Amino acid sequence: MTSPTSAQRWSAILLIAGFVGVTYGFGIYVFSQLLPTMSDDLGFSYATAGQITGIGQFLFIVFAFAATWLSHRFNGAVVVVGSAVLCTLCLVGVGLTSSTVVLTLCLAVAAGTSASVYVPIVEIVPRLIGANRRGTALGIISSGTTYGVFVSAAIIPVLTHTVGWRAVWFAVAGVSLVLILIACRLFSRLGLFSDLPDSEGSGVAGRAAADRPRPQRSLAAGIAFLSVWMVGIWIIKFMNGFSFMSFQNFLAPLLRDHGGQSIEYSSAVWMTIAVVGAVAGFAVGRLGDVLGLRRTLTLCYGMFLASCLLLHGAQSGWMPFAAALLFGLSFYPIYGLVPAYVGRVSTVTQATLIFGLANVFQGAGGVVGNLVGGSVANDTAWLPNYYLLLGAGAFVLGAATLALPSDRHSRRAASQPASEAADDSEAVDVGSRSEVGTARATP
């Protein structure tokens, strides 16, 4: 097997971003945009919608646990592709059903796959991209949700008015199937479905990979390293689930039911989020590589706070679009910055466990946020005040991030050993190499 090219590796990153777009952007987020229409047609309340998304967040927790175990037991790329297949089947199911029970099941499982497709990235990305570009790579992946939101926001007004909301679900399932077929071929060429990456490759990287032992896939191997900063990561992920997920899930009801806006206006706000987010993941991820991940995370939470305050102040005119811009700049990058930070201050084996558990806490935060938001949404007059509560969550997030250890030392260490060209072509074994040990995770 010839050594994979840089273009192939970055193409794989884009495909992983596409899978994030499928599982995040084509599941609960499409439901959020179609919520007023679907609730009128199927006859369920916003409280029921909050329960649906809350159950989805519970399955997010279950799937995060499962993905952490499966990625150690089997292979991260297999888990990613399998999750995308399961999500696609659920999208078709939502389009076919008229039962609230089946709708809940399909949406909840689709929400769960967003965890199982995301947890393995801390294993897969080091196999593709060198250390001093991983913030950028993970930023691109974290923007994957925007690709899904962008596609859905573009087709929802057209399909809903012409052939109905069910056609939206069939359309996004078709897009998902195409991505799965392309990914299976490329991942196979890159050797991502095998445990030992690039062992047959040519050159220094290929020979080094061949000489390294098979990675030890055991959750027990990482239990003894728990420390205070990891608790901080889990608090941050919990609040991410509580604040950011709720922000999106009740945005359409806020604009359409409380603000009296049309579906076109609501979709335009969502489109703004998607367009900004598609660029933000890469740009802010690169900023994290240069400025530092902790500092960049703090900046993101400041923008999120401003976005919540804008939506609290007005639900018409230019302010929701300004809020959408700030939200797009803040939301999508954090899902690349957090795993990049974890990977920078811990070993790869540790990072998989830390990040898997972190996604469990994120799911728990989403459950709480959606249940509270669903109750508030029944009285639409209170929805703006709920966004004020989410702004308070942003303040907590900023404070918790500032309490984390600095990653500046790790950033310098990652950028010193190799040139930029070598970094792009280097294949990294997930089981035998780490950027920085936990001993370096100090301020």
Side-chain angles (χ1 to χ4, degrees):
M1 181 178 78
T2 59
S3 179
T5 65
S6 177
Q8 288 175 322
R9 296 179 188 279
W10 285 99
S11 295
I13 293 295
L14 290 175
L15 278 171
I16 296 170
F19 286 140
V20 172
V22 166
T23 55
Y24 274 94
F26 286 173
I28 291 295
Y29 292 167
V30 169
F31 179 62
S32 299
Q33 296 182 68
L34 289 173
L35 178 54
T37 303
M38 291 179 65
S39 64
D40 289 341
D41 188 23
L42 298 180
F44 60 84
S45 67
Y46 284 141
T48 300
Q51 292 169 4
I52 291 174
T53 51
I55 294 171
Q57 289 302 320
F58 174 75
L59 282 192
F60 185 97
I61 297 173
V62 174
F63 276 60
F65 269 123
T68 304
W69 178 79
L70 290 171
S71 295
H72 280 81
R73 183 67 178 83
F74 299 106
N75 179 275
V78 173
V79 175
V80 167
V81 174
S83 298
V85 171
L86 181 57
C87 181
T88 302
L89 294 174
C90 291
L91 299 178
V92 174
V94 173
L96 292 173
T97 189
S98 296
S99 166
T100 304
V101 174
V102 176
L103 174 69
T104 301
L105 178 63
C106 289
L107 285 173
V109 172
T113 61
S114 64
S116 56
V117 85
Y118 204 70
V119 168
I121 66 172
V122 292
E123 173 190 329
I124 297 173
V125 171
R127 297 176 65 166
L128 297 170
I129 306 297
N132 64 355
R133 291 288 185 88
R134 286 180 197 157
T136 304
L138 287 162
I140 292 173
I141 291 172
S142 70
S143 281
T145 311
T146 68
Y147 309 147
V149 172
F150 181 86
V151 171
S152 61
I155 65 177
I156 279 174
V158 176
L159 293 181
T160 301
H161 287 313
T162 55
V163 291
W165 59 265
R166 295 181 186 276
V168 175
W169 295 101
F170 297 140
V172 294
V175 174
S176 175
L177 180 60
V178 171
L179 288 176
I180 291 168
L181 295 175
I182 296 173
C184 285
R185 180 173 178 81
L186 180 59
F187 286 7
S188 179
R189 289 174 61 90
L190 290 172
L192 292 178
F193 291 131
S194 63
D195 282 334
L196 188 60
D198 299 323
S199 59
E200 301 176 13
S202 60
V204 176
R207 291 193 298 272
D211 292 338
R212 289 193 285 262
R214 176 184 172 92
Q216 181 183 3
R217 293 186 176 275
S218 172
L219 286 177
I223 295 297
F225 60 90
L226 293 176
S227 61
V228 174
W229 72 267
M230 297 173 195
V231 177
I233 289 291
W234 295 332
I235 292 173
I236 287 170
K237 291 293 281 184
F238 178 88
M239 292 305 301
N240 282 348
F242 179 89
S243 296
F244 283 95
M245 299 300 178
S246 300
F247 183 102
Q248 295 170 102
N249 288 339
F250 298 99
L251 179 58
L254 176 72
L255 296 176
R256 294 177 61 180
D257 293 335
H258 179 81
Q261 304 301 324
S262 66
I263 187 173
E264 288 79 12
Y265 182 93
S266 175
S267 293
V269 173
W270 272 96
M271 185 74 75
T272 302
I273 294 173
V275 171
V276 173
V279 179
F282 170 81
V284 179
R286 187 58 185 161
L287 179 65
D289 284 333
V290 175
L291 181 64
L293 298 168
R294 186 184 66 167
R295 291 178 176 179
T296 308
L297 269 172
T298 306
L299 175 63
C300 288
Y301 292 135
M303 290 188 291
F304 177 58
L305 172 59
S307 179
C308 292
L309 293 176
L310 284 170
L311 277 180
H312 172 73
Q315 297 79 48
S316 61
W318 63 270
M319 289 180 70
F321 288 95
L325 186 149
L326 289 170
F327 181 79
L329 285 173
S330 61
F331 172 63
Y332 298 103
I334 66 171
Y335 291 96
L337 293 172
V338 172
Y341 176 88
V342 170
R344 190 164 284 174
V345 297
S346 64
T347 67
V348 174
T349 301
Q350 294 168 349
T352 304
L353 179 58
I354 297 168
F355 192 57
L357 293 176
N359 279 275
V360 171
F361 281 95
Q362 177 181 306
V367 170
V368 175
N370 281 300
L371 291 177
V372 173
S375 299
V376 172
N378 275 335
D379 183 358
T380 56
W382 277 92
L383 270 176
N385 293 327
Y386 186 60
Y387 279 78
L388 192 62
L389 175 63
L390 299 183
F395 182 82
V396 173
L397 281 163
T401 303
L402 289 174
L404 292 176
S406 173
D407 62 289
R408 286 178 295 173
H409 176 78
S410 302
R411 177 165 51 90
R412 289 194 299 267
S415 61
Q416 286 172 354
S419 67
E420 192 170 326
D423 178 70
D424 274 342
S425 63
E426 179 184 12
V428 184
D429 186 332
V430 301
S432 61
R433 178 172 175 179
S434 62
E435 295 79 41
V436 186
T438 53
R440 295 185 181 180
T442 56

Coordinates of all heavy atoms in Angstrom, one line a residue, residues 15 18-19 21-22 26 84 88 91-92 147-148 151-152 155 159 167-183:
L15 N -14.7 14.3 5.5 CA -15.7 13.3 5.6 C -16.2 13.1 7.0 O -17.4 12.9 7.3 CB -15.2 12.0 5.0 CG -15.3 11.9 3.5 CD1 -14.6 10.6 3.0 CD2 -16.8 11.9 3.0
G18 N -18.4 15.6 7.8 CA -19.7 15.4 7.2 C -20.5 14.4 8.0 O -21.8 14.6 8.1
F19 N -19.9 13.4 8.7 CA -20.6 12.5 9.5 C -21.1 13.3 10.8 O -22.2 13.0 11.3 CB -19.8 11.4 9.9 CG -19.6 10.3 8.9 CD1 -18.4 9.7 8.7 CD2 -20.6 10.0 8.0 CE1 -18.2 8.8 7.7 CE2 -20.5 9.1 7.0 CZ -19.3 8.5 6.8
G21 N -22.0 16.4 10.7 CA -23.1 17.1 10.1 C -24.4 16.2 10.0 O -25.5 16.7 10.2
V22 N -24.2 14.9 9.7 CA -25.3 14.0 9.5 C -25.9 13.8 10.9 O -27.1 13.9 11.1 CB -24.8 12.7 8.9 CG1 -25.9 11.6 9.1 CG2 -24.5 12.9 7.4
F26 N -28.5 16.7 11.0 CA -29.7 16.1 10.3 C -30.6 15.4 11.3 O -31.6 14.8 10.9 CB -29.2 15.1 9.3 CG -28.6 15.7 8.1 CD1 -28.1 14.9 7.1 CD2 -28.7 17.1 7.9 CE1 -27.5 15.5 6.0 CE2 -28.1 17.7 6.7 CZ -27.5 16.8 5.8
A84 N -23.1 6.5 11.6 CA -23.8 7.2 10.5 C -24.8 6.4 9.8 O -25.9 6.9 9.4 CB -22.7 7.6 9.5
T88 N -28.8 7.3 9.7 CA -29.6 7.4 8.4 C -30.9 6.6 8.4 O -31.9 7.1 7.9 CB -28.7 6.9 7.2 OG1 -27.4 7.6 7.2 CG2 -29.4 7.0 5.9
L91 N -33.4 8.6 10.3 CA -33.9 9.8 9.5 C -35.0 9.3 8.6 O -36.1 10.0 8.5 CB -32.8 10.4 8.7 CG -31.6 11.0 9.5 CD1 -30.6 11.6 8.5 CD2 -32.1 12.1 10.4
V92 N -34.9 8.2 8.0 CA -35.9 7.6 7.2 C -37.1 7.3 8.0 O -38.3 7.5 7.6 CB -35.4 6.3 6.4 CG1 -36.6 5.7 5.7 CG2 -34.3 6.7 5.5
Y147 N -22.6 22.1 8.3 CA -22.9 21.7 7.0 C -24.3 21.0 7.0 O -25.0 21.2 6.0 CB -21.8 20.6 6.6 CG -20.4 21.1 6.7 CD1 -19.4 20.2 7.0 CD2 -20.1 22.4 6.6 CE1 -18.1 20.6 7.2 CE2 -18.7 22.9 6.8 CZ -17.8 22.0 7.1 OH -16.5 22.4 7.2
G148 N -24.6 20.3 8.0 CA -25.9 19.7 8.1 C -27.0 20.8 8.3 O -28.0 20.7 7.6
V151 N -27.5 22.7 4.9 CA -28.3 21.9 3.9 C -29.7 21.9 4.3 O -30.6 22.2 3.5 CB -27.7 20.5 3.8 CG1 -28.7 19.7 2.9 CG2 -26.3 20.5 3.2
S152 N -30.0 21.6 5.6 CA -31.4 21.5 6.0 C -32.1 22.9 6.0 O -33.3 23.0 5.6 CB -31.5 20.9 7.5 OG -30.8 21.8 8.4
I155 N -33.1 23.6 2.4 CA -34.2 22.9 1.7 C -35.5 22.9 2.5 O -36.6 22.6 1.9 CB -33.7 21.4 1.5 CG1 -33.5 20.7 2.9 CG2 -32.5 21.4 0.7 CD1 -33.1 19.2 2.7
L159 N -39.1 22.5 0.5 CA -39.7 21.2 0.6 C -41.0 21.2 1.4 O -42.0 20.6 1.1 CB -38.7 20.1 1.1 CG -37.6 19.8 0.2 CD1 -36.7 18.7 0.8 CD2 -38.1 19.3 -1.2
A167 N -40.7 15.1 3.3 CA -39.7 15.0 2.3 C -38.3 15.5 2.7 O -37.3 15.1 2.2 CB -40.1 15.9 1.1
V168 N -38.3 16.4 3.7 CA -37.1 16.9 4.3 C -36.2 15.8 4.9 O -35.0 15.7 4.6 CB -37.3 18.0 5.4 CG1 -36.0 18.4 6.0 CG2 -38.0 19.2 4.8
W169 N -36.9 14.9 5.6 CA -36.2 13.8 6.3 C -35.7 12.8 5.2 O -34.5 12.3 5.4 CB -37.1 13.1 7.2 CG -37.5 14.0 8.4 CD1 -38.7 14.7 8.5 CD2 -36.7 14.3 9.5 NE1 -38.7 15.4 9.7 CE2 -37.5 15.2 10.3 CE3 -35.5 13.9 10.0 CZ2 -37.0 15.7 11.5 CZ3 -35.0 14.4 11.2 CH2 -35.7 15.3 11.9
F170 N -36.4 12.6 4.2 CA -35.9 11.7 3.1 C -34.7 12.3 2.4 O -33.8 11.6 2.0 CB -37.0 11.3 2.1 CG -38.2 10.6 2.8 CD1 -39.5 10.9 2.4 CD2 -38.0 9.6 3.7 CE1 -40.6 10.3 3.0 CE2 -39.1 9.0 4.3 CZ -40.4 9.3 3.9
A171 N -34.8 13.6 2.2 CA -33.7 14.3 1.5 C -32.4 14.2 2.3 O -31.3 13.9 1.7 CB -34.1 15.7 1.2
V172 N -32.4 14.5 3.5 CA -31.2 14.5 4.3 C -30.7 13.1 4.5 O -29.5 12.8 4.6 CB -31.4 15.2 5.7 CG1 -31.7 16.6 5.5 CG2 -32.5 14.5 6.5
A173 N -31.6 12.1 4.5 CA -31.1 10.7 4.6 C -30.4 10.3 3.3 O -29.4 9.5 3.4 CB -32.3 9.7 4.8
G174 N -30.8 10.8 2.2 CA -30.1 10.5 0.9 C -28.7 11.1 0.9 O -27.7 10.5 0.5
V175 N -28.6 12.3 1.4 CA -27.3 13.0 1.5 C -26.3 12.1 2.4 O -25.2 11.9 2.1 CB -27.4 14.4 2.1 CG1 -26.0 15.0 2.3 CG2 -28.2 15.3 1.1
S176 N -26.9 11.7 3.5 CA -26.1 10.9 4.5 C -25.6 9.6 3.8 O -24.5 9.2 4.0 CB -27.0 10.5 5.7 OG -26.3 9.7 6.6
L177 N -26.5 8.9 3.0 CA -26.1 7.7 2.4 C -24.9 7.9 1.4 O -24.0 7.1 1.4 CB -27.3 7.1 1.6 CG -27.1 5.8 0.9 CD1 -26.6 4.7 1.9 CD2 -28.3 5.3 0.2
V178 N -24.9 9.0 0.7 CA -23.8 9.3 -0.2 C -22.5 9.4 0.5 O -21.5 8.9 0.1 CB -24.1 10.5 -1.1 CG1 -22.9 11.0 -1.9 CG2 -25.3 10.3 -2.0
L179 N -22.5 10.1 1.6 CA -21.3 10.3 2.4 C -20.8 9.0 3.0 O -19.6 8.8 3.0 CB -21.6 11.3 3.6 CG -21.8 12.7 3.3 CD1 -22.2 13.5 4.5 CD2 -20.6 13.3 2.6
I180 N -21.7 8.1 3.4 CA -21.3 6.8 3.9 C -20.5 6.0 2.8 O -19.5 5.4 3.1 CB -22.5 6.1 4.4 CG1 -23.0 6.7 5.7 CG2 -22.1 4.6 4.7 CD1 -24.4 6.2 6.1
L181 N -21.1 6.0 1.6 CA -20.4 5.2 0.5 C -19.1 5.8 0.2 O -18.1 5.0 0.0 CB -21.3 5.2 -0.7 CG -22.7 4.6 -0.5 CD1 -23.6 4.7 -1.8 CD2 -22.5 3.1 -0.2
I182 N -18.9 7.1 0.2 CA -17.6 7.7 -0.1 C -16.6 7.4 1.0 O -15.5 7.0 0.7 CB -17.8 9.2 -0.4 CG1 -18.6 9.5 -1.6 CG2 -16.4 9.9 -0.5 CD1 -19.0 11.0 -1.8
A183 N -17.1 7.5 2.2 CA -16.2 7.3 3.4 C -15.7 5.9 3.5 O -14.5 5.7 3.8 CB -16.9 7.7 4.6

